[in-house]
């Protein structure tokens, strides 16, 4: 997870009210269940001493926010009277979390809310395309229409040489139209930094378009058999196919990070460390490119020392010199230190055991 969008958590003073819960809207009583969940969250935060302005801000965001479709989770972090973070999660968290603490709690966000790749969706036909760019959180950022010429794009019934000539004109027109679509896709990829292009439409048009894509875009283009510009298309099937491709891209990205960590750990002088002592040292030196976190429960109750800056984290006071330091939960302090130093955050799931629950890929040795 890139942490640029979380920087406000570093620059804001606590205490922070952090909540993570099931926000699914796949039943007739979804609104009633949402109200009950919020009552439970509010009660738990109140018991911990949360102030009314923060509770009011959370309640407003939850009750007035957009509703997801189907199964989903929700993550919110508030401080004072403002909601600093409000995101839908790919799946409901395994347990409901409601925590009031001096530092924001973001580990469940890393576990359940890994942003997807910026991607471009192209619904094409022989005349043009509908192009949509989607940000890492599923929000549409660009919508545009590419229209070529519509004559001639259908062969007419003639005989002999006239028919062959008309067919050649049709094919050339379609080719020019798809070349225009390919050029617009390339521009949109450059403009948005998209890592993925999803193409829907008739198979012949998809194949022809792929030939027209630039060398930079062709390797990131994926075709789906569902969806087109025609009316009456089952959009649910198309959306399911898009979600499947995006989920696979996220999984591949996570797998690449874990494989790199294992490779670096396996060689002498490799750019990877694990365990609280080594990881806090690397964070303090701003030498972490990616902080890896195992099951949040692995770090429950573990504390580290935090100095005057978020990345001044240590296990012993002597490591911070004469700086003032306060003992904080490791599952809050280390992710915040990563955010403060522009390091990415990755949850390892069940695929990789980490000493004391934390590991790091380093910028340099």
């Amino acid at each position: 997870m890139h942490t640029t969008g979380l920087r406000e958590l570093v620059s804001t003073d606590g205490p922070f009210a952090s909540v993570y819960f099931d926000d699914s809207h796949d039943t007739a009583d979804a609104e009633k269940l949402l109200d009950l969940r919020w009552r439970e969250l509010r009660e738990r935060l109140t018991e911990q001493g949360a102030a009314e302005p923060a509770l009011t801000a959370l309640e407003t965001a939850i009750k007035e926010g957009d509703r997801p479709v189907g199964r989903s989770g929700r993550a919110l972090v508030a401080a004072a009277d403002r909601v600093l973070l409000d995101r839908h999660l790919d799946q409901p968290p395994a347990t409901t979390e409601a925590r009031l603490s001096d530092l924001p709690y973001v580990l469940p966000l890393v576990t359940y809310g890994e942003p997807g790749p910026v991607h471009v969706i192209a619904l094409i036909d022989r005349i043009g395309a509908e192009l949509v760019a989607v940000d890492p959180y599923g929000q549409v950022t660009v919508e545009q229409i590419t229209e070529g010429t519509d004559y001639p794009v259908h062969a007419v019934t003639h005989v002999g040489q006239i028919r062959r000539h008309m067919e050649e004109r049709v094919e050339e027109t379609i080719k020019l139209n798809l070349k225009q679509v390919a050029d617009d896709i390339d521009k949109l990829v450059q403009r948005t930094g998209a890592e993925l292009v999803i193409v829907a439409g008739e198979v012949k048009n998809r194949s022809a378009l792929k030939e027209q894509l630039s060398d930079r875009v062709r390797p990131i283009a994926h075709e789906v058999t569902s969806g087109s510009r025609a009316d009456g298309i089952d959009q649910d099937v198309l959306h399911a196919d898009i979600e499947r491709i995006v989920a696979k891209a996220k999984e591949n990205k996570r797998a690449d990070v874990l494989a790199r960590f294992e490779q670096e750990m396996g060689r002498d002088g490799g750019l990877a460390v694990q365990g609280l002592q080594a990881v806090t040292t690397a964070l303090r030196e701003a030498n972490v490119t990616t902080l890896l976190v195992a099951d949040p429960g692995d770090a429950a109750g573990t504390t580290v020392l935090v100095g005057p800056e978020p990345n001044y984290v240590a296990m012993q006071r002597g490591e911070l010199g004469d700086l003032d330091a306060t003992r904080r939960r490791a599952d809050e302090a280390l992710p915040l230190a990563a955010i403060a130093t522009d390091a990415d955050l990755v949850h390892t799931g069940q695929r990789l055991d980490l000493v004391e629950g934390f590991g790091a890929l380093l910028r340099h040795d």
Side-chain angles (χ1 to χ4, degrees):
M1 173 185 290
H2 295 306
T3 58
T4 304
L6 303 177
R7 290 304 299 274
E8 191 174 11
L9 298 177
V10 177
S11 59
T12 303
D13 294 330
F16 297 86
S18 307
V19 298
Y20 299 87
F21 61 96
D22 187 333
D23 189 34
S24 299
H25 274 62
D26 55 355
T27 61
D29 60 347
E31 286 299 318
K32 180 180 179 180
L33 290 175
L34 179 62
D35 186 61
L36 292 173
R37 291 187 185 110
W38 166 240
R39 290 184 187 180
E40 177 191 354
L41 292 167
R42 183 185 180 98
E43 182 177 341
R44 290 169 59 178
L45 289 172
T46 300
E47 290 174 352
Q48 297 173 58
E52 187 60 35
L55 295 173
T56 299
L58 287 172
E59 181 172 1
T60 299
I62 290 171
K63 292 189 174 182
E64 297 183 3
D66 294 335
R67 300 298 189 253
V69 176
R71 289 184 59 74
S72 177
R74 189 85 173 269
L76 298 102
V77 179
D81 61 350
R82 291 195 304 130
V83 172
L84 307 173
L85 172 73
D86 183 356
R87 290 186 185 172
H88 290 286
L89 308 175
D90 291 340
Q91 56 182 305
T95 59
T96 299
E97 297 280 355
R99 182 184 294 190
L100 183 72
S101 51
D102 291 324
L103 301 179
Y105 181 45
V106 300
L107 280 193
L109 179 66
V110 180
T111 305
Y112 301 104
E114 175 70 28
V118 176
H119 55 282
V120 170
I121 302 167
L123 302 180
I124 69 169
D125 59 19
R126 58 183 57 195
I127 297 174
E130 298 175 17
L131 305 180
V132 176
V134 183
D135 73 9
Y137 309 105
Q139 301 300 309
V140 173
T141 58
V142 180
E143 291 183 274
Q144 67 183 61
I145 303 293
T146 297
E147 292 290 3
T149 181
D150 61 357
Y151 179 82
V153 292
H154 298 282
V156 294
T157 302
H158 288 294
V159 295
Q161 186 174 356
I162 294 178
R163 178 184 178 87
R164 288 193 298 273
H165 176 67
M166 286 300 298
E167 288 176 344
E168 289 172 357
R169 287 189 61 192
V170 167
E171 293 302 320
E172 183 61 25
T173 299
I174 294 173
K175 183 177 180 180
L176 290 173
N177 288 344
L178 292 176
K179 179 63 170 68
Q180 184 177 342
V181 171
D183 290 344
D184 283 354
I185 290 175
D186 191 69
K187 292 174 184 176
L188 192 54
V189 168
Q190 292 186 57
R191 174 181 168 189
T192 62
E195 305 170 69
L196 187 67
V197 173
I198 300 171
V199 181
E202 293 182 0
V203 60
K204 185 176 181 179
N205 295 329
R206 298 199 312 265
S207 299
L209 174 68
K210 205 161 186 179
E211 292 178 1
Q212 301 276 16
L213 294 172
S214 68
D215 292 341
R216 187 171 68 88
V217 173
R218 193 178 302 115
I220 64 172
H222 297 259
E223 299 179 44
V224 294
T225 58
S226 59
S228 76
R229 299 182 76 192
D231 294 332
I233 296 300
D234 189 340
Q235 295 297 321
D236 289 341
V237 176
L238 173 60
H239 291 157
D241 283 344
I242 292 171
E243 288 178 1
R244 174 180 52 80
I245 292 174
V246 169
K248 183 62 176 177
K250 291 197 292 186
E251 185 63 25
N252 289 343
K253 188 174 183 179
R254 187 198 304 262
D256 288 344
V257 172
L258 301 187
R260 183 186 165 203
F261 177 83
E262 290 184 300
Q263 181 182 25
E264 294 294 332
M265 285 296 299
R267 69 182 185 89
D268 292 339
L271 297 178
V273 297
Q274 60 180 325
L276 287 171
Q277 184 63 58
V279 170
T280 54
T281 298
L283 285 167
R284 193 166 62 251
E285 296 172 351
N287 189 26
V288 174
T289 181
T290 303
L291 179 68
L292 284 74
V293 183
D295 186 334
D298 293 349
T302 305
T303 62
V304 298
L305 290 165
V306 181
E309 298 295 332
N311 69 303
Y312 288 5
V313 289
M315 297 304 295
Q316 291 86 32
R317 289 192 177 276
E319 296 174 280
L320 295 175
D322 58 358
L323 296 174
D324 291 335
T326 306
R327 194 159 289 280
R328 304 291 189 200
R329 293 180 60 132
D331 60 0
E332 295 170 358
L334 270 60
L336 192 66
I339 296 169
T341 53
D342 292 321
D344 292 342
L345 291 166
V346 169
H347 179 240
T348 64
Q350 302 299 317
R351 283 162 292 178
L352 188 63
D353 290 328
L354 297 172
V355 174
E356 298 177 305
F358 291 95
L361 283 167
L362 307 180
R363 302 182 194 276
H364 52 79
D365 55 22

